[in-house]
Amino acid sequence: MQSLADRLGGFADALFDPTIVLPPGLVGPDGEPSPRRFAVYRNNVVVGLVEALKANFPSVCRIVGEEFFDAMARIFVASEPPTSPILFEFGIGFANFIAGFEPVADVPYLADIARLERAWHEAYHAPEANPLTAAALAAIPENQAAGITFSLHPSLRLIWSRFPILTIWRMNIGDGVPAPVDLTAGGEDVLLVRPAAKVEVCATPPGGYEFVEALQQGQPLTEAMKIALRADPRFDLSRNIRDLIAIGAFIDCHTANEPGRLTRGVRA
Amino acid sequence: MSRRNDDASVPQNGQIPSRAGVGLKPEHYRTILETAPDIGFFEVHAENYMGAGGPPHRYLTEIRNLYPLSLHGVGLSIGADRPLDRDHLNRLKGLIERYRPGLFSEHLAWSTHDTAYFDDLLPVPYTTESLSRVASHIDEVQEALGQQMLLENPSTYLTFAESTYSEIDFIAEIVKRTGCGLLLDVNNVHVASTNQQWDPLRYIDEYPLASVQEIHLAGYTPETDEKGRPLLIDTHDRPVDDIVWDLYQHTIGRLGPMPTLIEWDANVPPWPELKAEAERAEAIMSAIDRKEQARAIAG
């Protein structure tokens, strides 16, 4: 008799392989083989995973249409099934899959929309942390401001794109209504953060992406500003700091003179 | 109607009362918090609350402050041939420490192979090899979690020709070896009994009822196999069928009132429709209870 490992392995292999009609010894009440009964499991697995992927990428689904999405998702789930029972994490590789999926080559922004949706789910389920208030930041003496480093909110995510992905995503989520979009008008870089219950999503101002990325890497304020200005001379430091505080992007800041001291954020 | 707030019978220790509860769905979070309905308990799928933070935890924390909670795992893959996922066990332990559920249950099924997770409850052959594997996995779970777990009977669509135990003998032997409790899913009894041509009443009567601590009820989808025989699919997407209500009544007649969960996981209905299903279960429990009392007085 087959070992349990081989038995379940044969069952598992047949789930994603339609050329295997039925592993031997799987029977109905009369003891006879029943492909139709095995097909219930095959269908449950594939449909269940396609639905799980759809729940994680609702905007991608709306852009390509449900029928197309299902067909594309079937290929993805068979080639990269989830490796964890936590299904809201399913689809880490979906954006890369889309980028290489020939039938959507005429929707060049689709992979970036998938990246955005993936980032949205990561922000949604990220650890809780209280954002830093403007008052806490204002308490830092002016002569120490240049050397400040920031701790960014654990839910903060950045997505870079050469397409207007935030505009397109908003048209294809919730009550959004699709309208013509000029794909050549320039890209939108997107910042996502969930300071409380709601995921906040915004386009970053010029140089803002590079600025936040530098801060995230632990660069002090002046260094991050230089990097941002190199990326885009229109970079406006005070506007960026104000917007980032307002959206809840920081949870802590540290001055160079007092590296051990943490100015804890207080919930407003 | 809300008698929950002043109901002294709501166990403060989180114990699940012998009442009806419902599976907690995100669609109903707000209604539940705004109207505080009179419901015995809520049950959640553990895997939906395994993120570090976010709205799911915010809502569950608020709801747990108001109601007893039971935790139902769908991804532990107890029936698999490979070792249990220790990370997953640790996440379960973390959830149990955080939310203090009155009961924890999992399935007699497998859902993983190599690195893949299939998101379905796949069937287990009833052989001595799989029996010792399942029993050792349950020992491991109970040891890691520091508490008893309940094992749920499966809904199955086919059988393994090599099985040497009946489903009930297999489950009874697991209980004997591991000391686990049981969750009796009455819809699964109907689905499996129809699909395998068993007698569902006999299934219930022969089930190790003394170990049952919770009941599940749900809806199924009727289909047929290639020979035109009925093939019921466990879909949890509609009301509990009348046949299943009759089996439930029979079960409660044998067991007395028992924590009873309405599972409705797809095509989730508006809250009042879900609550009405829970009320129907409570009405059956109350009727049996009254009959018992009358018999006690008469006797």
Side-chain angles (χ1 to χ4, degrees):
Chain A
M1 199 178 74
Q2 265 186 318
S3 70
L4 183 64
D6 289 343
R7 185 56 155 143
L8 302 189
F11 196 112
D13 290 343
L15 288 171
F16 287 127
D17 185 352
T19 65
I20 302 170
V21 178
L22 181 72
L26 299 180
V27 297
D30 54 1
E32 295 296 320
S34 174
R36 173 71 191 87
R37 287 163 186 266
F38 183 72
V40 175
Y41 292 107
R42 183 179 271 155
N43 187 62
N44 281 354
V45 168
V46 173
V47 172
L49 293 179
V50 166
E51 290 302 314
L53 197 66
K54 197 179 293 177
N56 293 351
F57 297 93
S59 180
V60 171
C61 179
R62 209 190 280 186
I63 289 167
V64 299
E66 193 156 3
E67 203 178 323
F68 187 95
F69 184 92
D70 287 358
M72 176 167 72
R74 277 172 175 268
I75 298 168
F76 176 74
V77 303
S79 62
E80 294 181 47
T83 55
S84 153
I86 309 174
L87 284 178
F88 58 73
E89 293 178 351
F90 179 38
I92 290 173
F94 193 44
N96 284 343
F97 170 86
I98 289 173
F101 191 58
E102 212 278 325
V104 289
D106 58 341
V107 194
Y109 51 85
L110 196 64
D112 286 351
I113 296 288
R115 286 192 185 95
L116 174 56
E117 299 211 286
R118 170 79 202 147
W120 191 95
H121 278 275
E122 287 178 5
Y124 188 80
H125 293 286
E128 306 287 344
N130 289 337
L132 190 72
T133 60
L137 192 60
I140 290 174
E142 212 164 303
N143 60 358
Q144 294 178 16
I148 302 179
T149 57
F150 289 94
S151 298
L152 274 70
H153 197 282
S155 68
L156 188 138
R157 298 289 184 279
L158 286 169
I159 305 289
W160 177 92
S161 181
R162 58 196 177 92
F163 300 105
I165 51 166
L166 183 57
T167 305
I168 298 170
W169 178 70
R170 287 213 166 112
M171 287 175 180
N172 288 284
I173 200 82
D175 299 330
V177 179
V181 174
D182 181 2
L183 293 183
T184 62
E188 285 169 350
D189 299 337
V190 183
L191 182 151
L192 304 95
V193 65
R194 187 182 53 76
K198 187 170 168 284
V199 178
E200 308 289 346
V201 186
C202 66
T204 55
Y209 178 96
E210 290 78 6
F211 180 61
V212 177
E213 191 182 48
L215 292 179
Q216 206 167 26
Q217 289 162 358
Q219 298 281 0
L221 187 60
T222 43
E223 279 308 309
M225 183 180 71
K226 283 181 202 161
I227 291 166
L229 280 168
R230 271 202 298 274
D232 194 320
R234 294 172 296 168
F235 175 74
D236 177 343
L237 179 66
S238 61
R239 179 197 166 182
N240 271 268
I241 291 287
R242 195 180 59 231
D243 289 356
L244 290 168
I245 291 274
I247 206 170
F250 303 130
I251 56 169
D252 208 349
C253 62
H254 325 267
T255 60
N257 293 355
E258 298 171 89
R261 186 190 139 217
L262 303 182
T263 311
R264 270 282 155 214
V266 191
R267 191 178 287 280
Chain B
M1 183 193 74
S2 175
R3 62 180 172 86
R4 186 187 41 73
N5 290 335
D6 52 8
D7 188 347
S9 73
V10 172
Q12 292 306 305
N13 60 5
Q15 197 187 334
I16 307 297
S18 291
R19 292 192 54 193
V22 301
L24 180 61
K25 307 313 285 180
E27 293 89 330
H28 301 141
Y29 284 152
R30 286 180 180 278
T31 304
I32 291 161
L33 289 172
E34 283 162 13
T35 65
D38 178 31
I39 280 282
F41 65 101
F42 286 99
E43 183 161 296
V44 293
H45 286 179
E47 288 72 12
N48 291 340
Y49 295 87
M50 287 186 170
H57 285 296
R58 289 168 175 248
Y59 282 113
L60 187 57
T61 300
E62 282 193 60
I63 288 167
R64 177 63 186 93
N65 287 338
L66 299 172
Y67 296 93
L69 178 77
S70 60
L71 190 65
H72 189 51
V74 297
L76 199 48
S77 202
I78 282 171
D81 58 280
R82 67 172 194 176
L84 292 178
D85 180 345
R86 296 300 299 191
D87 291 342
H88 196 66
L89 261 183
N90 285 335
R91 288 190 293 258
L92 281 172
K93 195 174 168 60
L95 276 178
I96 286 170
E97 283 165 1
R98 179 167 180 179
Y99 291 107
R100 297 162 291 110
L103 295 168
F104 168 68
S105 53
E106 251 286 359
H107 299 84
L108 176 54
W110 58 286
S111 51
T112 53
H113 190 72
D114 290 337
T115 60
Y117 172 70
F118 298 122
D119 190 32
D120 192 32
L121 300 165
L122 300 168
V124 172
Y126 299 142
T127 62
T128 49
E129 189 190 0
S130 71
L131 180 66
S132 32
R133 183 52 63 98
V134 170
S136 72
H137 280 166
I138 291 176
D139 286 342
E140 193 182 343
V141 173
Q142 296 188 133
E143 196 172 317
L145 301 183
Q147 69 173 71
Q148 190 189 36
M149 65 159 275
L150 309 186
L151 185 69
E152 178 177 335
N153 56 300
S155 59
T156 52
Y157 309 117
L158 47 72
T159 48
F160 291 83
E162 68 268 30
S163 286
T164 51
Y165 290 82
S166 74
E167 184 166 297
I168 288 174
D169 289 346
F170 192 86
I171 291 173
E173 185 62 25
I174 288 169
V175 170
K176 208 166 94 187
R177 289 196 196 178
T178 66
C180 72
L182 294 175
L183 189 165
L184 178 58
D185 187 317
V186 176
N187 183 60
N188 288 359
V189 171
H190 176 58
V191 166
S193 296
T194 303
N195 293 345
Q196 317 291 359
Q197 297 180 2
W198 301 331
D199 175 353
L201 285 174
R202 199 172 144 197
Y203 187 108
I204 289 166
D205 290 344
E206 291 180 356
Y207 202 71
L209 291 177
S211 298
V212 173
Q213 296 175 39
E214 184 182 347
I215 290 174
H216 273 184
L217 298 172
Y220 64 84
T221 303
E223 290 185 12
T224 52
D225 75 358
E226 60 271 85
K227 293 182 180 170
R229 295 170 296 201
L231 179 56
L232 308 187
I233 319 290
D234 184 29
T235 43
H236 297 191
D237 63 346
R238 62 191 70 199
V240 178
D241 192 85
D242 282 345
I243 296 174
V244 175
W245 282 118
D246 288 347
L247 287 175
Y248 174 65
Q249 188 163 8
H250 176 82
T251 308
I252 292 297
R254 295 290 310 271
L255 284 173
M258 174 72 45
T260 300
L261 184 86
I262 308 294
E263 293 183 291
W264 198 324
D265 297 314
N267 295 331
V268 175
W271 172 254
E273 203 177 327
L274 184 57
K275 185 164 187 297
E277 293 278 278
E279 283 164 359
R280 187 163 172 185
E282 295 224 320
I284 289 171
M285 282 194 269
S286 305
I288 297 282
D289 224 10
R290 278 197 300 277
K291 215 154 80 182
E292 287 296 315
Q293 283 166 8
R295 196 180 299 154
I297 292 162

